[in-house]
Amino acid sequence: MASAVWLAMAAVVLAANPHLGTWKLNESKSKFAPGAAKNTTVTYTPAKGDMIKCTADGMDKNGKPIHWTWVGKFDGHPYEIKGSPSFDTLAYTPINDRTNKTTAMKDGKVVMTGTITVAKDGKSREVTLTGTDAKGKKFTETTYYDKE
């Protein structure tokens, strides 16, 4: 009985999460760092238990397709990311119900931080990232997404 109640509560919490869904890049509003990869579609879906799966598709700086996945919780702990040459773990830390802080690491070193904020109406989101690229150059970019 307790398990059924817990599962129902987890489903309600995940369903109410404004980050869940499919987000399409609004390239005309976005400002990319020189040579940056572009995540053109980002999807957050419930995964096993109280986990969340993030899948991103896009293109690298040379126009070649990229695809990465992450399964974890929005709890501030790093979870493995698969398919990204730039990061091996990614952590999401809730700031409030619409904003997450994100931290990407490669070989235990922070290479990027940012914020992801879903608009109050739930129809768009802003992603602001800062970090250091593979050549050691610092970057900042802001991308906008529309909910599909």
Side-chain angles (χ1 to χ4, degrees), residues 113-125:
T113 60
T115 57
I116 302 169
T117 302
V118 175
K120 288 181 181 180
D121 66 7
K123 295 179 181 179
S124 62
R125 71 182 196 145

Side-chain angles (χ1 to χ4, degrees), residues 6-146:
W6 182 86
L7 286 172
M9 287 176 57
V12 168
V13 168
L14 287 173
N17 187 325
H19 294 276
L20 295 182
T22 299
W23 301 92
K24 292 285 188 185
L25 177 65
N26 184 330
E27 198 162 349
S28 65
K29 287 179 67 176
S30 300
K31 293 183 184 217
F32 295 94
K38 296 177 183 178
N39 292 328
T40 54
T41 304
V42 180
T43 304
Y44 293 89
T45 56
K48 185 176 181 182
D50 60 349
M51 305 290 267
I52 294 171
K53 181 177 183 179
C54 178
T55 303
D57 290 289
M59 65 186 91
D60 69 11
K61 65 181 180 179
N62 299 315
K64 293 182 181 176
I66 57 172
H67 174 83
W68 59 261
T69 59
W70 172 90
V71 177
K73 298 178 185 180
F74 292 168
D75 63 2
H77 297 286
Y79 293 89
E80 182 182 8
I81 185 171
K82 295 180 181 179
S84 171
S86 304
F87 325 122
D88 48 33
T89 64
L90 191 59
Y92 289 94
T93 305
I95 305 260
N96 58 46
D97 63 336
R98 295 181 303 103
T99 303
N100 282 335
K101 177 182 175 195
T102 186
T103 304
M105 298 178 77
K106 178 78 170 181
D107 300 325
K109 181 181 174 187
V110 173
V111 294
M112 186 184 71
T113 60
T115 57
I116 302 169
T117 302
V118 175
K120 288 181 181 180
D121 66 7
K123 295 179 181 179
S124 62
R125 71 182 196 145
E126 177 181 328
V127 180
T128 302
L129 303 172
T130 59
T132 306
D133 67 17
K135 295 180 181 178
K137 186 177 178 187
K138 299 211 179 275
F139 69 87
T140 299
E141 67 179 39
T142 303
T143 53
Y144 295 89
Y145 293 81
D146 298 315

